[in-house]
């Protein structure tokens, strides 16, 4: 049986949304156990008593790491928090994967320091899957913020791990890998990006060259490799732009008189198409690549829907033994 | 009389769009001379003979720098190109500002090596004005790609010059300056961003702290200071996301049956509102800050409208003597 350790206290809608996500997915994943870490009372209130059985377990914890906590300090001092206890379960072999909606930095710290780095991997990297214009499968981008400083070798390793992920989990054959840079030519960027370009070109990856910020959302590459700093800027910039545009469109539709409002109702199908196309939930959460077990994070404001998809994503990562594959490759 | 040297051969729609932009703006700027550099025959074909007078002059040139040309090499070898000849006019004091739609790298090279760096400025930086959600005045972001490598001192200088610009040209009182970073706290980012944070905080600027990628388009800051690499990624990421979303929306509106199409017509006012709100043209072109005269670039695919606004922007920069102000400040 696969076992997922779930920090049930992280995120704005905890523990209700997390429990609802688990209850929604459990019938589809009969071979998977869901271990919820959190406040016993709060969990009991949102889980019907008859739902607790071998497939759904509670491990009571007495603390919570908040978003305001300093990540590494919180991991070290809040030893009885839902997140740290869940991470320790994975470390001790009592669970196979860690899932949280809580403090991203603390989760990265739990992944790197408790669950541990895979031998041969220099630095774990954080990798979401984003929707793209020309493919339903989206694309991966790594690292988006686990590291503020980068070396060319790190970028190569992230690209290699993300390429495994794209192939095994997203079913993309021979994933196209590109390097996020400030221009198309091979000599673009600073020394780090120039050296990363060379490493990628010499590798066995299907490297298609540099990609610029305006191209990432088109789906031109299946894997976008980037240093953790500008990757973080790119990810948040596209999120911010999309949020600003959709809010402004909504405002305009509501403030242009009755005919516009009726028109807005009439284009509902088109808007739903658009929402489905750029639905981030279906791709699951961001994976911390390079640690000894799957560690996955979703947005703190998630409701049950992204949680449902993320649990399926984690389950597939366990089925495909993605971490085992990475370990075998980098042990060489 | 103010004199603007215009590379009339750069961009996809040259020279027609450039000439049309000049013809559109000239009556509004009677104290300004427009000097068009380009192929004599091509220019004659698009300029009515009676339009050529003291306010609109042609300087015939015999070469063009293309987008594919290697920037510094092109500047050095294509000495008789429209761009280089225009830059030399400015250098020699025969014009007061340089404007081009051509090869960005070559224009930066012309600005830095021909027109020259202002004494006291370490590295010129490229600064566009972008639209923002909560203000009609948009915001400035610098550097977006003139430099692949950055030092904290450069970022401070860019912020200082952009703050001047925001105050003098965009009429923003006491502009709020923020540092683009991967988190809100002062210790975020690598050493360069941590040191830049300290410099900005100690400066006389109205520094409001770090800003993340998802916040830049809201208008939270009037000036976003950034290293040239991730600034370039941020700028292109928001451009790419907005283009992808608007294209997808259009596709959805056209492919959801007749009722949706009618609805699309009925929301036209709302869509126009949105277009106006995020109209980049009205803010003019990207300014190369830190050189001895205004050097301004607009998108190569521009039609007459952005060119019209950019010429007004350059005219205002000359009226306000922005470069003189920067020179006086950094000479100290």
């Amino acid at each position: 049986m696969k076992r997922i350790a779930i920090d049930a206290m992280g995120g704005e809608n905890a523990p209700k949304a997390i429990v609802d996500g688990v209850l929604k997915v459990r019938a589809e994943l009969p071979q998977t156990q869901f271990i919820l870490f959190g406040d016993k009372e709060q969990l009991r209130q949102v889980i019907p008593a008859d739902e607790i059985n071998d497939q759904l377990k509670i491990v009571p914890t007495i603390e919570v790491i908040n978003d305001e906590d300093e990540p590494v300090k919180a991991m070290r001092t809040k030893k009885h928090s839902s997140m740290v206890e869940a991470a320790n379960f994975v470390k001790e072999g009592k669970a196979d994967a860690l899932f949280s909606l809580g403090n991203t930095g603390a989760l990265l710290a739990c992944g790197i320091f408790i669950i541990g780095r895979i031998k041969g991997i220099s630095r774990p990297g954080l990798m979401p899957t984003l929707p793209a214009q020309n493919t339903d499968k989206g694309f991966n981008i790594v690292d988006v913020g686990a590291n503020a400083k980068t070396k060319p070798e790190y970028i190569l390793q992230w690209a290699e791990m993300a390429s495994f992920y794209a192939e095994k989990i997203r079913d993309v054959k021979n994933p196209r890998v590109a390097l996020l840079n400030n221009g198309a030519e091979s000599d673009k960027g600073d020394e780090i990006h120039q050296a990363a370009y060379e490493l990628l070109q010499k590798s066995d990856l299907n490297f298609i060259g540099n990609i610029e910020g305006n191209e990432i959302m088109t789906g031109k590459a299946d894997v976008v490799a980037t240093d953790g700093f500008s990757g973080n800027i790119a990810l948040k910039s596209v999120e911010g732009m999309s949020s600003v545009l959709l809010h402004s469109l909504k405002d305009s539709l509501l403030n242009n008189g009755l005919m516009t409002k009726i028109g807005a109702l009439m284009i509902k199908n088109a808007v739903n198409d658009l929402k489905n196309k750029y639905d981030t939930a279906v791709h699951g959460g961001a994976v911390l690549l390079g640690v000894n077990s799957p560690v996955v994070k979703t947005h703190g404001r998630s409701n049950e829907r992204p949680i449902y998809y993320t649990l399926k994503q984690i389950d597939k990562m366990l089925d495909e033994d993605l971490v085992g594959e990475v370990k075998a490759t980098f042990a060489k």
Side-chain angles (χ1 to χ4, degrees), chain A residues 5 35 37 59 84-96:
Chain A
I35 313 169
F37 292 75
V59 175
V84 172
E85 295 257 22
N88 276 318
F89 239 63
V90 177
K91 181 194 177 184
E92 291 159 11
K94 292 188 270 183
D96 307 301

Side-chain angles (χ1 to χ4, degrees), chain A residues 250-264:
Chain A
K250 205 173 159 189
D251 276 0
S252 298
L253 291 173
L254 290 173
N255 295 303
N256 266 289
L258 185 62
M259 193 166 85
T260 304
K261 276 185 195 158
I262 297 169

Side-chain angles (χ1 to χ4, degrees), chain A residues 49-255:
Chain A
D50 59 349
E51 292 278 5
I52 298 177
N53 59 19
D54 255 11
Q55 204 200 354
L56 196 164
K57 288 201 157 178
I58 293 178
V59 175
T61 55
I62 53 171
E63 275 181 304
V64 175
I65 293 180
N66 301 309
D67 278 355
E68 297 71 34
D69 285 334
E70 199 284 305
V72 177
K73 194 180 157 199
M75 176 205 66
R76 292 213 168 113
T77 57
K78 290 191 165 177
K79 288 196 189 303
H80 300 293
S81 60
S82 50
M83 189 192 284
V84 172
E85 295 257 22
N88 276 318
F89 239 63
V90 177
K91 181 194 177 184
E92 291 159 11
K94 292 188 270 183
D96 307 301
L98 172 61
F99 172 41
S100 176
L101 284 72
N103 185 315
T104 307
L107 184 66
L108 298 180
C110 286
I112 295 166
F113 299 116
I114 297 177
I115 294 172
R117 213 162 17 96
I118 290 173
K119 215 182 152 181
I121 294 291
S122 302
R123 292 280 187 286
L126 189 63
M127 180 202 72
T129 307
L130 301 185
Q133 187 175 22
N134 300 324
T135 167
D136 292 341
K137 293 184 176 174
F139 71 98
N140 288 112
I141 176 166
V142 58
D143 170 40
V144 296
N147 302 271
K149 288 189 291 186
T150 310
K151 291 185 181 172
E153 306 83 68
Y154 305 170
I155 297 181
L156 174 64
Q157 291 191 336
W158 297 331
E160 287 171 330
M161 292 189 284
S163 195
F164 275 137
Y165 182 92
E167 197 146 3
K168 292 248 167 190
I169 310 302
R170 289 168 46 224
D171 305 313
V172 177
K173 276 192 190 129
N174 200 19
R176 297 157 301 164
V177 177
L179 175 67
L180 184 59
N181 209 330
N182 63 354
E185 303 81 2
S186 63
D187 62 348
K188 280 287 175 177
D190 56 12
E191 290 95 347
I192 290 174
H193 292 85
Q194 288 163 7
Y197 187 100
E198 263 191 55
L199 289 178
L200 287 163
Q201 200 164 37
K202 281 186 204 152
S203 74
D204 293 332
L205 295 168
N206 179 14
F207 181 56
I208 60 167
N210 285 330
I211 191 168
E212 298 185 64
N214 54 319
E215 300 169 315
I216 55 176
M217 296 304 296
T218 61
K220 186 182 169 183
D222 301 302
V223 170
V224 173
T226 164
D227 67 280
F229 188 84
S230 45
N232 183 275
I233 305 281
L235 172 68
K236 290 180 183 160
S237 294
V238 298
E239 283 177 351
M241 185 74 232
S242 118
S243 155
V244 157
L245 266 188
L246 295 177
H247 275 96
S248 298
L249 177 62
K250 205 173 159 189
D251 276 0
S252 298
L253 291 173
L254 290 173
N255 295 303

